Amino acid sequence: MGSLPPELRRYLAVVALFTLGNSSNLFLLLRAQELGVPPAQVPLLWAAVSAVAMLFSAPLAGWSDRVGRWQLLVGGYGAYALFYLLLGNLRLGGMALFALFGFYGLFMAATEGVEKALVADLAPPEQRGRAFGWFNLTTGALLLPASILFGWLYQAASPAAAFGLSASCSLAAALLLARFRPGAGGALASP
Protein backbone atom coordinates (compact mmCIF):
# COMPACT_ATOMS: atom_id res chain seq x y z
CA MET A 1 0.00 0.00 0.00
CA GLY A 2 2.96 2.30 0.60
CA SER A 3 3.50 2.71 -3.14
CA LEU A 4 0.00 4.13 -3.66
CA PRO A 5 -0.34 7.92 -3.88
CA PRO A 6 -0.95 9.67 -0.53
CA GLU A 7 -4.29 11.06 -1.74
CA LEU A 8 -5.50 7.54 -2.47
CA ARG A 9 -4.35 6.27 0.93
CA ARG A 10 -6.21 9.12 2.65
CA TYR A 11 -9.30 8.33 0.60
CA LEU A 12 -9.09 4.64 1.58
CA ALA A 13 -8.93 5.70 5.25
CA VAL A 14 -12.14 7.69 4.78
CA VAL A 15 -13.77 4.72 3.04
CA ALA A 16 -12.68 2.50 5.94
CA LEU A 17 -14.33 4.82 8.46
CA PHE A 18 -17.53 4.92 6.42
CA THR A 19 -17.54 1.13 6.00
CA LEU A 20 -17.15 0.62 9.74
CA GLY A 21 -20.61 2.17 10.06
CA ASN A 22 -22.07 0.42 7.02
CA SER A 23 -23.54 -2.79 8.40
CA SER A 24 -25.62 -5.38 6.59
CA ASN A 25 -28.76 -4.05 4.90
CA LEU A 26 -30.71 -6.82 6.62
CA PHE A 27 -30.75 -4.63 9.73
CA LEU A 28 -32.75 -2.07 7.76
CA LEU A 29 -35.36 -4.67 6.94
CA LEU A 30 -35.42 -5.90 10.55
CA ARG A 31 -36.03 -2.33 11.70
CA ALA A 32 -38.84 -1.96 9.16
CA GLN A 33 -40.55 -5.04 10.57
CA GLU A 34 -40.19 -3.65 14.08
CA LEU A 35 -41.86 -0.45 12.86
CA GLY A 36 -44.88 -2.44 11.73
CA VAL A 37 -44.20 -3.40 8.13
CA PRO A 38 -45.77 -6.82 7.56
CA PRO A 39 -43.24 -9.47 6.46
CA ALA A 40 -45.00 -9.80 3.10
CA GLN A 41 -44.35 -6.09 2.38
CA VAL A 42 -40.68 -6.05 3.37
CA PRO A 43 -39.58 -7.06 -0.16
CA LEU A 44 -41.53 -4.05 -1.47
CA LEU A 45 -39.34 -1.77 0.65
CA TRP A 46 -36.21 -3.22 -0.87
CA ALA A 47 -37.80 -3.02 -4.32
CA ALA A 48 -38.27 0.72 -3.70
CA VAL A 49 -34.59 1.06 -2.79
CA SER A 50 -33.53 -0.87 -5.90
CA ALA A 51 -35.87 1.04 -8.21
CA VAL A 52 -34.63 4.43 -7.03
CA ALA A 53 -30.98 3.30 -7.21
CA MET A 54 -31.53 1.98 -10.74
CA LEU A 55 -33.25 5.15 -11.95
CA PHE A 56 -30.73 7.58 -10.50
CA SER A 57 -27.38 5.75 -10.79
CA ALA A 58 -26.57 6.82 -14.35
CA PRO A 59 -27.74 10.44 -13.97
CA LEU A 60 -25.82 10.88 -10.71
CA ALA A 61 -22.70 9.27 -12.20
CA GLY A 62 -22.91 11.75 -15.08
CA TRP A 63 -23.44 14.55 -12.62
CA SER A 64 -20.32 13.48 -10.72
CA ASP A 65 -18.34 14.05 -13.93
CA ARG A 66 -19.56 17.67 -13.98
CA VAL A 67 -19.63 18.74 -10.32
CA GLY A 68 -16.92 16.49 -8.93
CA ARG A 69 -17.04 13.03 -7.49
CA TRP A 70 -15.89 14.09 -4.05
CA GLN A 71 -18.80 16.54 -3.69
CA LEU A 72 -21.33 13.89 -4.64
CA LEU A 73 -19.73 11.41 -2.26
CA VAL A 74 -19.80 13.92 0.62
CA GLY A 75 -23.51 14.46 -0.08
CA GLY A 76 -24.10 10.71 -0.32
CA TYR A 77 -22.37 10.03 2.99
CA GLY A 78 -24.40 12.85 4.54
CA ALA A 79 -27.62 11.34 3.15
CA TYR A 80 -26.66 7.98 4.65
CA ALA A 81 -26.16 9.61 8.06
CA LEU A 82 -29.54 11.32 7.82
CA PHE A 83 -31.28 8.11 6.75
CA TYR A 84 -29.77 6.14 9.62
CA LEU A 85 -30.62 8.80 12.19
CA LEU A 86 -34.22 8.96 11.01
CA LEU A 87 -34.67 5.19 10.78
CA GLY A 88 -33.10 4.61 14.18
CA ASN A 89 -35.39 7.11 15.86
CA LEU A 90 -38.70 6.41 14.09
CA ARG A 91 -41.53 5.17 16.26
CA LEU A 92 -44.03 4.13 13.58
CA GLY A 93 -43.80 2.90 10.00
CA GLY A 94 -46.37 3.66 7.32
CA MET A 95 -45.95 5.26 3.91
CA ALA A 96 -43.25 7.59 5.24
CA LEU A 97 -41.10 4.52 5.69
CA PHE A 98 -41.39 3.72 1.97
CA ALA A 99 -40.30 7.28 1.13
CA LEU A 100 -37.41 6.95 3.56
CA PHE A 101 -36.29 3.71 1.93
CA GLY A 102 -36.55 5.41 -1.46
CA PHE A 103 -34.25 8.08 -0.08
CA TYR A 104 -31.79 5.30 0.82
CA GLY A 105 -31.87 4.32 -2.84
CA LEU A 106 -30.61 7.82 -3.66
CA PHE A 107 -27.68 7.30 -1.31
CA MET A 108 -26.83 4.06 -3.12
CA ALA A 109 -27.12 5.71 -6.53
CA ALA A 110 -24.93 8.61 -5.45
CA THR A 111 -22.13 6.58 -3.88
CA GLU A 112 -21.66 3.05 -5.21
CA GLY A 113 -20.22 3.97 -8.60
CA VAL A 114 -18.63 7.22 -7.44
CA GLU A 115 -16.56 5.50 -4.74
CA LYS A 116 -15.02 3.25 -7.36
CA ALA A 117 -14.60 6.05 -9.89
CA LEU A 118 -12.59 7.99 -7.31
CA VAL A 119 -10.26 5.02 -6.94
CA ALA A 120 -9.65 5.12 -10.69
CA ASP A 121 -9.18 8.91 -10.60
CA LEU A 122 -6.64 8.78 -7.77
CA ALA A 123 -4.57 5.80 -8.93
CA PRO A 124 -1.96 6.10 -11.64
CA PRO A 125 -2.92 3.85 -14.58
CA GLU A 126 -0.16 1.35 -13.80
CA GLN A 127 -1.42 0.98 -10.20
CA ARG A 128 -5.18 0.76 -10.76
CA GLY A 129 -5.33 -2.99 -10.21
CA ARG A 130 -3.52 -2.65 -6.89
CA ALA A 131 -5.67 0.35 -5.93
CA PHE A 132 -8.92 -1.53 -6.58
CA GLY A 133 -7.53 -4.49 -4.66
CA TRP A 134 -6.92 -2.27 -1.63
CA PHE A 135 -10.33 -0.63 -2.01
CA ASN A 136 -12.09 -4.00 -2.07
CA LEU A 137 -9.97 -5.35 0.78
CA THR A 138 -10.75 -2.28 2.88
CA THR A 139 -14.50 -2.48 2.36
CA GLY A 140 -14.68 -6.27 2.52
CA ALA A 141 -12.60 -6.61 5.68
CA LEU A 142 -14.66 -4.04 7.59
CA LEU A 143 -18.17 -5.17 6.65
CA LEU A 144 -18.21 -8.13 9.03
CA PRO A 145 -16.93 -6.20 12.08
CA ALA A 146 -19.36 -3.38 11.22
CA SER A 147 -22.30 -5.80 11.21
CA ILE A 148 -21.17 -7.52 14.42
CA LEU A 149 -20.81 -4.19 16.21
CA PHE A 150 -24.14 -2.93 14.84
CA GLY A 151 -25.95 -6.12 15.86
CA TRP A 152 -24.43 -6.08 19.32
CA LEU A 153 -25.47 -2.44 19.88
CA TYR A 154 -28.91 -3.12 18.42
CA GLN A 155 -29.49 -5.93 20.91
CA ALA A 156 -27.53 -4.74 23.96
CA ALA A 157 -28.49 -1.06 23.86
CA SER A 158 -31.15 -0.03 21.35
CA PRO A 159 -31.80 0.37 17.63
CA ALA A 160 -31.25 4.11 18.06
CA ALA A 161 -27.74 3.46 19.46
CA ALA A 162 -26.81 1.13 16.59
CA PHE A 163 -28.19 3.43 13.91
CA GLY A 164 -26.59 6.39 15.67
CA LEU A 165 -23.15 4.77 15.51
CA SER A 166 -23.56 4.15 11.78
CA ALA A 167 -24.72 7.72 11.23
CA SER A 168 -21.75 9.02 13.23
CA CYS A 169 -19.24 7.02 11.18
CA SER A 170 -20.81 8.26 7.97
CA LEU A 171 -20.94 11.86 9.11
CA ALA A 172 -17.31 11.72 10.24
CA ALA A 173 -16.33 10.24 6.87
CA ALA A 174 -18.27 12.99 5.07
CA LEU A 175 -16.54 15.68 7.13
CA LEU A 176 -13.10 14.19 6.47
CA LEU A 177 -13.85 13.89 2.77
CA ALA A 178 -15.11 17.49 2.72
CA ARG A 179 -11.65 18.60 3.84
CA PHE A 180 -10.36 17.47 0.46
CA ARG A 181 -10.62 19.60 -2.63
CA PRO A 182 -10.35 18.70 -6.29
CA GLY A 183 -6.82 18.68 -7.59
CA ALA A 184 -5.65 18.17 -11.14
CA GLY A 185 -8.07 16.04 -13.12
CA GLY A 186 -10.67 15.90 -10.35
CA ALA A 187 -8.35 14.07 -7.94
CA LEU A 188 -8.37 14.73 -4.23
CA ALA A 189 -5.68 16.79 -2.59
CA SER A 190 -5.50 18.05 0.95
CA PRO A 191 -6.22 21.76 1.46
Side-chain angles (χ1 to χ4, degrees), residues 94-134:
M95 288 309 293
L97 195 56
F98 279 87
L100 191 57
F101 270 74
F103 179 70
Y104 186 70
L106 279 176
F107 148 75
M108 291 175 69
T111 59
E112 286 185 348
V114 173
E115 282 180 328
K116 294 168 185 71
L118 266 173
V119 172
D121 289 347
L122 295 172
E126 68 278 3
Q127 289 187 318
R128 284 199 181 127
R130 177 176 295 152
F132 277 106
W134 277 104

Short mmCIF file of all heavy atoms in Angstrom, two decimals, residues 94-134:
data_model
loop_
_atom_site.label_atom_id
_atom_site.label_comp_id
_atom_site.label_asym_id
_atom_site.label_seq_id
_atom_site.Cartn_x
_atom_site.Cartn_y
_atom_site.Cartn_z
N GLY A 94 -45.43 3.02 8.22
CA GLY A 94 -46.37 3.66 7.32
C GLY A 94 -45.73 4.05 6.00
O GLY A 94 -44.62 3.63 5.67
N MET A 95 -46.43 4.87 5.24
CA MET A 95 -45.95 5.26 3.91
C MET A 95 -44.67 6.08 3.99
O MET A 95 -43.86 6.06 3.07
CB MET A 95 -47.03 6.03 3.16
CG MET A 95 -48.19 5.15 2.70
SD MET A 95 -47.66 3.67 1.78
CE MET A 95 -46.98 4.39 0.30
N ALA A 96 -44.48 6.82 5.09
CA ALA A 96 -43.25 7.59 5.24
C ALA A 96 -42.03 6.68 5.22
O ALA A 96 -40.96 7.08 4.75
CB ALA A 96 -43.29 8.40 6.53
N LEU A 97 -42.21 5.46 5.68
CA LEU A 97 -41.10 4.52 5.69
C LEU A 97 -40.71 4.14 4.25
O LEU A 97 -39.53 4.00 3.94
CB LEU A 97 -41.47 3.28 6.49
CG LEU A 97 -40.34 2.35 6.90
CD1 LEU A 97 -39.27 3.09 7.69
CD2 LEU A 97 -40.87 1.20 7.72
N PHE A 98 -41.70 4.00 3.36
CA PHE A 98 -41.39 3.72 1.97
C PHE A 98 -40.63 4.88 1.33
O PHE A 98 -39.68 4.67 0.58
CB PHE A 98 -42.67 3.41 1.19
CG PHE A 98 -43.15 1.99 1.36
CD1 PHE A 98 -43.98 1.64 2.41
CD2 PHE A 98 -42.74 1.00 0.49
CE1 PHE A 98 -44.40 0.34 2.58
CE2 PHE A 98 -43.15 -0.31 0.64
CZ PHE A 98 -43.99 -0.64 1.70
N ALA A 99 -41.02 6.10 1.65
CA ALA A 99 -40.30 7.28 1.13
C ALA A 99 -38.88 7.30 1.68
O ALA A 99 -37.93 7.61 0.94
CB ALA A 99 -41.05 8.55 1.51
N LEU A 100 -38.74 6.97 2.95
CA LEU A 100 -37.41 6.95 3.56
C LEU A 100 -36.52 5.90 2.90
O LEU A 100 -35.34 6.16 2.62
CB LEU A 100 -37.54 6.69 5.06
CG LEU A 100 -36.29 6.89 5.90
CD1 LEU A 100 -35.73 8.30 5.76
CD2 LEU A 100 -36.59 6.60 7.37
N PHE A 101 -37.07 4.74 2.61
CA PHE A 101 -36.29 3.71 1.93
C PHE A 101 -35.96 4.12 0.49
O PHE A 101 -34.90 3.79 -0.03
CB PHE A 101 -37.00 2.36 1.99
CG PHE A 101 -36.62 1.54 3.20
CD1 PHE A 101 -37.12 1.88 4.46
CD2 PHE A 101 -35.77 0.46 3.09
CE1 PHE A 101 -36.77 1.14 5.58
CE2 PHE A 101 -35.41 -0.28 4.21
CZ PHE A 101 -35.91 0.06 5.46
N GLY A 102 -36.86 4.85 -0.14
CA GLY A 102 -36.55 5.41 -1.46
C GLY A 102 -35.38 6.38 -1.39
O GLY A 102 -34.50 6.40 -2.26
N PHE A 103 -35.35 7.16 -0.33
CA PHE A 103 -34.25 8.08 -0.08
C PHE A 103 -32.93 7.31 0.07
O PHE A 103 -31.88 7.76 -0.40
CB PHE A 103 -34.55 8.91 1.16
CG PHE A 103 -33.48 9.88 1.55
CD1 PHE A 103 -33.22 11.01 0.79
CD2 PHE A 103 -32.73 9.68 2.69
CE1 PHE A 103 -32.23 11.91 1.15
CE2 PHE A 103 -31.74 10.57 3.07
CZ PHE A 103 -31.50 11.69 2.30
N TYR A 104 -32.99 6.14 0.69
CA TYR A 104 -31.79 5.30 0.82
C TYR A 104 -31.31 4.86 -0.56
O TYR A 104 -30.11 4.74 -0.80
CB TYR A 104 -32.09 4.09 1.71
CG TYR A 104 -30.88 3.25 2.03
CD1 TYR A 104 -29.89 3.73 2.87
CD2 TYR A 104 -30.71 1.98 1.50
CE1 TYR A 104 -28.78 2.97 3.18
CE2 TYR A 104 -29.61 1.21 1.80
CZ TYR A 104 -28.64 1.71 2.64
OH TYR A 104 -27.53 0.96 2.94
N GLY A 105 -32.24 4.64 -1.46
CA GLY A 105 -31.87 4.32 -2.84
C GLY A 105 -31.07 5.44 -3.49
O GLY A 105 -30.16 5.19 -4.28
N LEU A 106 -31.39 6.68 -3.15
CA LEU A 106 -30.61 7.82 -3.66
C LEU A 106 -29.18 7.78 -3.15
O LEU A 106 -28.23 8.06 -3.88
CB LEU A 106 -31.26 9.15 -3.28
CG LEU A 106 -32.42 9.61 -4.13
CD1 LEU A 106 -33.02 10.90 -3.56
CD2 LEU A 106 -31.99 9.81 -5.57
N PHE A 107 -29.03 7.44 -1.86
CA PHE A 107 -27.68 7.30 -1.31
C PHE A 107 -26.90 6.27 -2.13
O PHE A 107 -25.75 6.51 -2.51
CB PHE A 107 -27.73 6.87 0.17
CG PHE A 107 -26.56 6.01 0.56
CD1 PHE A 107 -25.31 6.55 0.74
CD2 PHE A 107 -26.72 4.62 0.69
CE1 PHE A 107 -24.23 5.74 1.06
CE2 PHE A 107 -25.65 3.82 1.02
CZ PHE A 107 -24.38 4.38 1.20
N MET A 108 -27.52 5.12 -2.38
CA MET A 108 -26.83 4.06 -3.12
C MET A 108 -26.45 4.54 -4.52
O MET A 108 -25.34 4.30 -4.99
CB MET A 108 -27.70 2.80 -3.19
CG MET A 108 -27.86 2.13 -1.84
SD MET A 108 -28.99 0.73 -1.85
CE MET A 108 -28.08 -0.45 -2.83
N ALA A 109 -27.39 5.22 -5.18
CA ALA A 109 -27.12 5.71 -6.53
C ALA A 109 -25.99 6.74 -6.54
O ALA A 109 -25.20 6.79 -7.49
CB ALA A 109 -28.39 6.31 -7.13
N ALA A 110 -25.92 7.54 -5.49
CA ALA A 110 -24.93 8.61 -5.45
C ALA A 110 -23.55 8.14 -5.05
O ALA A 110 -22.56 8.84 -5.29
CB ALA A 110 -25.39 9.70 -4.48
N THR A 111 -23.43 6.96 -4.44
CA THR A 111 -22.13 6.58 -3.88
C THR A 111 -21.49 5.34 -4.48
O THR A 111 -20.27 5.29 -4.59
CB THR A 111 -22.25 6.37 -2.36
OG1 THR A 111 -23.20 5.35 -2.10
CG2 THR A 111 -22.65 7.66 -1.65
N GLU A 112 -22.27 4.34 -4.84
CA GLU A 112 -21.66 3.05 -5.21
C GLU A 112 -20.70 3.18 -6.39
O GLU A 112 -19.58 2.69 -6.34
CB GLU A 112 -22.73 2.00 -5.46
CG GLU A 112 -23.34 1.52 -4.16
CD GLU A 112 -24.32 0.38 -4.34
OE1 GLU A 112 -24.72 0.08 -5.48
OE2 GLU A 112 -24.70 -0.22 -3.32
N GLY A 113 -21.11 3.81 -7.45
CA GLY A 113 -20.22 3.97 -8.60
C GLY A 113 -19.17 5.04 -8.37
O GLY A 113 -18.03 4.93 -8.83
N VAL A 114 -19.54 6.09 -7.65
CA VAL A 114 -18.63 7.22 -7.44
C VAL A 114 -17.44 6.81 -6.57
O VAL A 114 -16.31 7.23 -6.82
CB VAL A 114 -19.41 8.40 -6.81
CG1 VAL A 114 -18.48 9.52 -6.41
CG2 VAL A 114 -20.44 8.91 -7.81
N GLU A 115 -17.68 5.97 -5.56
CA GLU A 115 -16.56 5.50 -4.74
C GLU A 115 -15.51 4.81 -5.60
O GLU A 115 -14.31 5.06 -5.45
CB GLU A 115 -17.05 4.51 -3.68
CG GLU A 115 -17.71 5.14 -2.49
CD GLU A 115 -18.17 4.11 -1.47
OE1 GLU A 115 -18.54 2.98 -1.86
OE2 GLU A 115 -18.16 4.44 -0.28
N LYS A 116 -15.96 3.98 -6.50
CA LYS A 116 -15.02 3.25 -7.36
C LYS A 116 -14.38 4.16 -8.40
O LYS A 116 -13.20 4.03 -8.72
CB LYS A 116 -15.75 2.08 -8.02
CG LYS A 116 -16.19 1.02 -7.01
CD LYS A 116 -17.15 0.02 -7.63
CE LYS A 116 -17.69 -0.94 -6.63
NZ LYS A 116 -18.64 -0.36 -5.68
N ALA A 117 -15.16 5.12 -8.91
CA ALA A 117 -14.60 6.05 -9.89
C ALA A 117 -13.50 6.90 -9.26
O ALA A 117 -12.50 7.22 -9.93
CB ALA A 117 -15.70 6.95 -10.45
N LEU A 118 -13.65 7.23 -7.99
CA LEU A 118 -12.59 7.99 -7.31
C LEU A 118 -11.31 7.17 -7.19
O LEU A 118 -10.22 7.73 -7.29
CB LEU A 118 -13.07 8.42 -5.92
CG LEU A 118 -13.68 9.81 -5.84
CD1 LEU A 118 -14.27 10.06 -4.47
CD2 LEU A 118 -12.69 10.87 -6.21
N VAL A 119 -11.45 5.88 -6.97
CA VAL A 119 -10.26 5.02 -6.94
C VAL A 119 -9.53 5.13 -8.28
O VAL A 119 -8.30 5.32 -8.31
CB VAL A 119 -10.63 3.56 -6.62
CG1 VAL A 119 -9.41 2.65 -6.77
CG2 VAL A 119 -11.21 3.43 -5.22
N ALA A 120 -10.26 5.02 -9.36
CA ALA A 120 -9.65 5.12 -10.69
C ALA A 120 -9.05 6.50 -10.92
O ALA A 120 -7.98 6.63 -11.54
CB ALA A 120 -10.68 4.80 -11.77
N ASP A 121 -9.71 7.55 -10.43
CA ASP A 121 -9.18 8.91 -10.60
C ASP A 121 -7.88 9.11 -9.83
O ASP A 121 -6.98 9.81 -10.29
CB ASP A 121 -10.19 9.95 -10.08
CG ASP A 121 -11.42 10.09 -10.95
OD1 ASP A 121 -11.42 9.58 -12.09
OD2 ASP A 121 -12.39 10.72 -10.48
N LEU A 122 -7.78 8.52 -8.65
CA LEU A 122 -6.64 8.78 -7.77
C LEU A 122 -5.44 7.87 -8.03
O LEU A 122 -4.34 8.19 -7.60
CB LEU A 122 -7.08 8.63 -6.31
CG LEU A 122 -8.11 9.66 -5.83
CD1 LEU A 122 -8.61 9.30 -4.44
CD2 LEU A 122 -7.52 11.05 -5.85
N ALA A 123 -5.66 6.75 -8.69
CA ALA A 123 -4.57 5.80 -8.93
C ALA A 123 -3.92 6.06 -10.29
O ALA A 123 -4.63 6.26 -11.28
CB ALA A 123 -5.09 4.38 -8.87
N PRO A 124 -2.61 6.05 -10.34
CA PRO A 124 -1.96 6.10 -11.64
C PRO A 124 -2.38 4.87 -12.45
O PRO A 124 -2.65 3.80 -11.87
CB PRO A 124 -0.46 6.04 -11.31
CG PRO A 124 -0.36 6.37 -9.86
CD PRO A 124 -1.66 5.98 -9.24
N PRO A 125 -2.45 4.98 -13.77
CA PRO A 125 -2.92 3.85 -14.58
C PRO A 125 -2.20 2.54 -14.29
O PRO A 125 -2.83 1.49 -14.25
CB PRO A 125 -2.67 4.32 -16.03
CG PRO A 125 -2.69 5.80 -15.95
CD PRO A 125 -2.15 6.16 -14.58
N GLU A 126 -0.91 2.59 -14.04
CA GLU A 126 -0.16 1.35 -13.80
C GLU A 126 -0.43 0.76 -12.42
O GLU A 126 -0.02 -0.37 -12.14
CB GLU A 126 1.34 1.59 -13.99
CG GLU A 126 1.99 2.49 -12.97
CD GLU A 126 1.82 4.00 -13.26
OE1 GLU A 126 1.15 4.37 -14.25
OE2 GLU A 126 2.37 4.78 -12.48
N GLN A 127 -1.13 1.49 -11.54
CA GLN A 127 -1.42 0.98 -10.20
C GLN A 127 -2.92 0.77 -9.96
O GLN A 127 -3.32 0.51 -8.83
CB GLN A 127 -0.88 1.94 -9.14
CG GLN A 127 0.62 1.96 -9.04
CD GLN A 127 1.09 2.79 -7.87
OE1 GLN A 127 0.57 3.86 -7.60
NE2 GLN A 127 2.08 2.28 -7.15
N ARG A 128 -3.73 0.87 -10.97
CA ARG A 128 -5.18 0.76 -10.76
C ARG A 128 -5.60 -0.60 -10.23
O ARG A 128 -6.47 -0.70 -9.38
CB ARG A 128 -5.93 1.10 -12.04
CG ARG A 128 -5.94 2.58 -12.28
CD ARG A 128 -7.00 3.03 -13.24
NE ARG A 128 -6.88 4.47 -13.40
CZ ARG A 128 -6.78 5.09 -14.55
NH1 ARG A 128 -6.81 4.38 -15.67
NH2 ARG A 128 -6.66 6.39 -14.60
N GLY A 129 -5.00 -1.66 -10.71
CA GLY A 129 -5.33 -2.99 -10.21
C GLY A 129 -5.05 -3.10 -8.72
O GLY A 129 -5.88 -3.59 -7.94
N ARG A 130 -3.88 -2.64 -8.30
CA ARG A 130 -3.52 -2.65 -6.89
C ARG A 130 -4.47 -1.75 -6.09
O ARG A 130 -4.91 -2.11 -4.99
CB ARG A 130 -2.08 -2.18 -6.71
CG ARG A 130 -1.66 -2.10 -5.26
CD ARG A 130 -0.21 -1.71 -5.10
NE ARG A 130 0.58 -2.79 -5.67
CZ ARG A 130 1.77 -2.64 -6.20
NH1 ARG A 130 2.34 -1.46 -6.22
NH2 ARG A 130 2.43 -3.66 -6.70
N ALA A 131 -4.79 -0.59 -6.63
CA ALA A 131 -5.67 0.35 -5.93
C ALA A 131 -7.05 -0.26 -5.72
O ALA A 131 -7.62 -0.16 -4.62
CB ALA A 131 -5.78 1.65 -6.73
N PHE A 132 -7.60 -0.89 -6.75
CA PHE A 132 -8.92 -1.53 -6.58
C PHE A 132 -8.84 -2.71 -5.62
O PHE A 132 -9.79 -2.99 -4.89
CB PHE A 132 -9.51 -1.95 -7.93
CG PHE A 132 -10.19 -0.81 -8.62
CD1 PHE A 132 -9.61 -0.19 -9.72
CD2 PHE A 132 -11.42 -0.34 -8.18
CE1 PHE A 132 -10.23 0.87 -10.35
CE2 PHE A 132 -12.06 0.72 -8.79
CZ PHE A 132 -11.46 1.33 -9.89
N GLY A 133 -7.71 -3.42 -5.62
CA GLY A 133 -7.53 -4.49 -4.66
C GLY A 133 -7.58 -3.97 -3.24
O GLY A 133 -8.25 -4.54 -2.37
N TRP A 134 -6.90 -2.86 -2.98
CA TRP A 134 -6.92 -2.27 -1.63
C TRP A 134 -8.30 -1.72 -1.29
O TRP A 134 -8.74 -1.83 -0.14
CB TRP A 134 -5.85 -1.18 -1.51
CG TRP A 134 -4.51 -1.77 -1.19
CD1 TRP A 134 -3.46 -1.94 -2.05
CD2 TRP A 134 -4.10 -2.30 0.07
NE1 TRP A 134 -2.42 -2.54 -1.40
CE2 TRP A 134 -2.78 -2.77 -0.09
CE3 TRP A 134 -4.71 -2.42 1.30
CZ2 TRP A 134 -2.07 -3.35 0.95
CZ3 TRP A 134 -4.00 -3.01 2.35
CH2 TRP A 134 -2.69 -3.45 2.16
#
